[in-house]
Amino acid sequence: MRLRLPEEHPTEPPTGYKIAYPVLSQNGRRAGFTGVSLGGALPYGVLDDARCVYGRRHRCPSRRCDCGFHCLHSRDEALGLVCLTEHRRAVVLEITVLGSYIRYERGMRYARQRVRAARVGPCSCGRTADRFADAGWGRAGWRTVTGSCAGCAADRMSISFPGFARLAGERLAVSVAPGTAAGTLQVHATSGGTVPELVAEAALLQARLDWFQSELAKVIGRDDP
């Protein structure tokens, strides 16, 4: 007797969340995303169909394979994944599940998806990102990009968020998570930052130095006979 999975007939396509890396084609004319694990070898567009990563000729998602797109039910759980060291530069995607799907306890595996929105984290320096910049790695024919501020992207290929969304198409929305108030001073800030930014950073460093000196004086005072 063949086991049959329960069937669902939702009135609206389900919504899911996942993490991915933004990518630009080698010629800079297309934009998309790539997975963070097994699916990373097959970049996909904002509206795309799943393909079996093993090259098998069956329809996704197959019960006898782990192919297909994957997503989580919870946005908070997807946000938690970018806390992992290896996924710090990934973005969080909000997607619409299309076509057939298999539901699991924490998420779904499915045949087709539309990426509605991408949430970009802060720049690696701590400031709020305002563009995508070359991450320094990629796939054949695709360059991975990551959220960056203007100062950190000064010497790298970069593209604005609206420019990336325009290349991706399908009315993709890009939102940005706020960074820390001042970030940390970078070596290249003297060539890429503005005068007000550098003054603010210098004031922050001076305040930290004053606090350190006062604490050091207290310690020395306690140690004196």
Side-chain angles (χ1 to χ4, degrees):
M1 183 175 64
R2 185 177 180 180
L3 178 64
R4 291 181 60 86
L5 296 175
E7 294 185 0
E8 296 183 10
H9 300 281
T11 56
E12 296 182 355
T15 295
Y17 304 89
K18 63 195 301 182
I19 64 173
Y21 295 113
V23 292
L24 280 175
S25 63
Q26 183 180 1
N27 59 14
R29 297 178 181 176
R30 291 185 295 162
F33 300 94
T34 184
V36 299
S37 56
L38 185 62
L42 299 174
Y44 53 86
V46 171
L47 178 63
D48 214 336
D49 295 295
R51 292 159 285 168
C52 180
V53 295
Y54 305 107
R56 298 170 183 168
R57 297 182 179 180
H58 56 228
R59 302 173 72 177
C60 299
S62 171
R63 287 194 300 164
R64 299 179 180 274
C65 186
D66 59 0
C67 62
F69 290 126
H70 295 73
C71 73
L72 297 165
H73 297 310
S74 168
R75 180 176 182 269
D76 289 340
E77 194 166 358
L79 287 171
L81 292 179
V82 296
C83 293
L84 296 172
T85 303
E86 62 270 30
H87 301 328
R88 284 291 178 93
R89 308 313 302 157
V91 300
V92 177
L93 304 181
E94 178 182 323
I95 59 94
T96 297
V97 175
L98 303 173
S100 60
Y101 60 86
I102 300 174
R103 183 182 293 275
Y104 298 91
E105 181 179 358
R106 296 173 57 192
M108 290 180 281
R109 184 161 60 93
Y110 49 98
R112 183 174 171 83
Q113 71 178 8
R114 181 191 299 274
V115 181
R116 296 203 304 253
R119 179 185 184 275
V120 186
C123 177
S124 57
C125 73
R127 295 185 182 89
T128 301
D130 60 8
R131 67 195 66 200
F132 283 128
D134 190 350
W137 58 276
R139 303 285 189 266
W142 294 89
R143 179 186 290 111
T144 303
V145 292
T146 184
S148 177
C149 68
C152 293
D155 300 324
R156 293 181 288 164
M157 184 284 300
S158 64
I159 184 173
S160 67
F161 293 144
F164 182 92
R166 185 166 53 253
L167 291 177
E170 299 294 334
R171 301 186 300 277
L172 173 69
V174 179
S175 63
V176 186
T180 56
T184 56
L185 185 63
Q186 302 293 314
V187 174
H188 57 254
T190 54
S191 61
T194 63
V195 172
E197 289 174 344
L198 297 179
V199 170
E201 289 175 341
L204 177 63
L205 290 176
Q206 185 62 51
R208 290 176 177 173
L209 179 60
D210 292 342
W211 176 85
F212 176 78
Q213 289 176 334
S214 65
E215 293 298 308
L216 181 60
K218 293 177 183 178
V219 174
I220 294 175
R222 288 197 298 264
D223 292 341
D224 287 342

